[in-house]
Amino acid sequence: MSIMDLDFKGDLGAMSMAFHKNKDRIRLPSAPSWLDSGDDLGKLYTEFPVLMKWGEVYYACLVQANRTLFNKPTSRSVSASAAEVVFNHKRPKTAISDPLIMKSFAHYLFECREKKPDENPEWIREAAAVAAGEVDRSRVIIKADDGDDFSMNLTMQSVLVFREHLPKKVLKSSIIPVIAAPMKCFSIMVLPCKYWPKGFLKYWNKL
């Protein structure tokens, strides 16, 4: 099964329906021991009720993540780690193509973080700098220049990824469904995998 076999539009609708039907059952795991009180990722614990009330399911694409998430968990593995993702905060009607476009963009952004600021287009410099900083939790709104290949408005954001929300507790795919309420709160979270449709799970588990 390849990425081209996925029914992005249908799967997003199924995940949205599952979230709204079951959001009262979703529980937030305990905070990992490394999470400091001043870390903005911790806002998830105060904003969780708002996120559940106003949140919607979006496709997000991984820019970078703590590499331990890509390894099978062991007794010493932490329960959660940080990652940076991009997602389309305006969700245009062409949502079916968004994940593939964002996947390409996320790869481009990852490459930009390795360059000197003046080597990158001006419109992406802030996002590249935040990604390069790794512990900078700033939310960045990205709007490409009119003449650029990437014409979507995107949000780049840090997210606390809990292993228990991932199939087999491992991060495999760069396309991840997240719950977000951009107009209501700062925090986002991965939609627990128990609410992912079978086709999306099958693709993920074959990677």
Side-chain angles (χ1 to χ4, degrees):
M1 184 176 189
S2 75
I3 194 171
M4 300 306 296
D5 295 319
L6 290 175
D7 178 8
F8 285 119
K9 187 175 182 179
D11 286 347
L12 183 63
M15 287 186 279
S16 179
M17 185 179 297
F19 166 64
H20 285 289
K21 183 178 179 180
N22 296 283
K23 60 183 179 181
D24 290 341
R25 302 177 186 178
I26 296 177
R27 299 292 179 265
L28 193 58
S30 300
S33 59
W34 57 263
L35 187 63
D36 295 330
S37 58
D39 193 324
D40 280 347
L41 285 176
K43 289 181 178 180
L44 177 60
Y45 287 88
T46 57
E47 295 182 340
F48 182 71
V50 177
L51 188 61
M52 291 298 102
K53 180 178 180 179
W54 298 101
E56 297 289 347
V57 180
Y58 296 75
Y59 282 122
C61 284
L62 185 70
V63 176
Q64 60 185 4
N66 188 304
R67 60 185 178 182
T68 60
L69 286 172
F70 298 97
N71 302 323
K72 292 182 179 180
T74 67
S75 58
R76 295 184 179 182
S77 297
V78 295
S79 61
S81 293
E84 276 74 48
V85 298
V86 290
F87 67 99
N88 191 335
H89 56 271
K90 291 195 173 182
R91 302 181 70 189
K93 293 180 180 179
T94 55
I96 190 168
S97 63
D98 286 353
L100 298 180
I101 298 172
M102 288 191 297
K103 180 179 172 67
S104 176
F105 175 80
H107 179 71
Y108 173 60
L109 177 54
F110 183 81
E111 292 180 335
C112 287
R113 69 185 286 278
E114 303 290 342
K115 300 177 182 179
K116 297 178 180 179
D118 59 1
E119 294 177 341
N120 290 319
E122 187 173 353
W123 61 269
I124 204 173
R125 289 177 188 172
E126 181 182 4
V130 170
E134 295 186 353
V135 294
D136 188 338
R137 310 301 189 195
S138 300
R139 173 193 280 174
V140 181
I141 305 299
I142 305 168
K143 188 179 188 314
D145 290 338
D146 292 338
D148 195 88
D149 291 339
F150 300 105
S151 60
M152 295 191 304
N153 294 322
L154 299 175
T155 295
M156 188 187 82
Q157 173 121 19
S158 295
V159 57
L160 190 59
V161 180
F162 297 96
R163 282 188 175 273
E164 67 181 77
H165 289 168
L166 302 174
K168 299 180 182 179
K169 300 183 178 181
V170 179
L171 187 58
K172 289 187 175 183
S173 174
S174 60
I175 300 176
I176 309 167
V178 299
I179 305 166
M183 302 303 293
K184 298 292 183 178
C185 67
F186 172 82
S187 300
I188 63 175
M189 66 178 286
V190 175
L191 177 70
C193 61
K194 66 186 295 183
Y195 303 116
W196 298 7
K198 291 181 180 179
F200 196 79
L201 277 171
K202 183 178 180 180
Y203 162 74
W204 182 286
N205 287 325
K206 285 196 173 184
L207 292 175

